[in-house]
Amino acid sequence: MKAMTPSALRSSDLPGAAAVRPVWGWVLLAGVVAGTLDLLFTVAWWAPQGVAPVRVLHSVAAWAIGREAALSGGVATAGFGAALHYALMTAMAAGYVAFARRFREWLRHPVATGLLYGAACYTLLHVIVVPNFSAAPPRVVRPEWMLACLAAHMLLVGVPCALIARRALRSRRH
């Protein structure tokens, strides 16, 4: 066996590295795509009512640090809200990949399973986690906003995660 210097070391020389790295790149891409589409939807929904994009990010940050802290933190808490949002979207993408590895039919029907997965992610996040575990006090949510968010999670989060996962897992011949 020949000695390797760090500069000569390739990812394919590390056990499992070649198998993990490409999928996580796809997962990150899916998180960025889904996160961006979801943020664009949210900003477009609230803009006609005079809500600034930074306020949308404050609202995400409020889940973790509370409403007053989020609003008073300015750009820093908006940045935290963006990071939290993209982390959640990336976790959703990783979840889809994990399920698709276990249930191969998810790769054969990405639009249908993506729609269902987006609905499940919406339910988990907005019906269970945020109302029950958020640092922000519960608020009355308008039904039209809830339905629009459900549709957005189905179309703009679930389907992109599914299509990107399909591409990632098919390119690796799993």
Side-chain angles (χ1 to χ4, degrees):
M1 183 155 127
K2 107 179 184 183
M4 307 268 316
T5 63
S7 62
L9 190 63
R10 299 180 313 257
S11 65
S12 60
D13 296 326
L14 302 173
V20 172
R21 195 168 128 204
V23 170
W24 283 107
W26 288 104
V27 167
L28 290 173
L29 174 65
V32 168
V33 169
T36 301
L37 291 172
D38 186 52
L39 276 177
L40 288 172
F41 157 75
T42 304
V43 167
W45 176 277
W46 290 107
Q49 284 124 23
V51 177
V54 72
R55 177 62 181 94
V56 169
L57 297 172
H58 284 148
S59 132
V60 175
W63 298 346
I65 62 174
R67 193 166 288 119
E68 280 193 38
L71 291 173
S72 66
V75 175
T77 55
F80 173 70
L84 179 58
H85 177 74
Y86 280 104
L88 289 168
M89 292 296 141
T90 302
M92 288 178 192
Y96 191 93
V97 168
F99 280 114
R101 280 183 163 160
R102 176 149 178 146
F103 305 106
R104 304 306 289 172
E105 56 276 0
W106 284 36
L107 298 177
R108 288 189 287 280
H109 307 287
V111 174
T113 56
L115 290 169
L116 292 171
Y117 185 74
C121 287
Y122 169 82
T123 302
L124 178 65
L125 185 62
H126 294 283
V127 176
I128 298 169
V129 174
V130 171
N132 294 306
F133 301 103
S134 175
R139 296 185 340 186
V140 175
V141 180
R142 299 186 331 207
E144 66 274 11
W145 171 241
M146 288 176 57
L147 289 173
C149 284
L150 173 61
H153 270 76
M154 292 171 73
L155 295 168
L156 305 177
V157 175
V159 171
C161 286
L163 293 173
I164 292 171
R166 180 181 185 183
R167 173 73 171 101
L169 296 175
R170 288 232 168 134
S171 70
R172 297 187 58 225
R173 299 182 199 272
H174 274 38

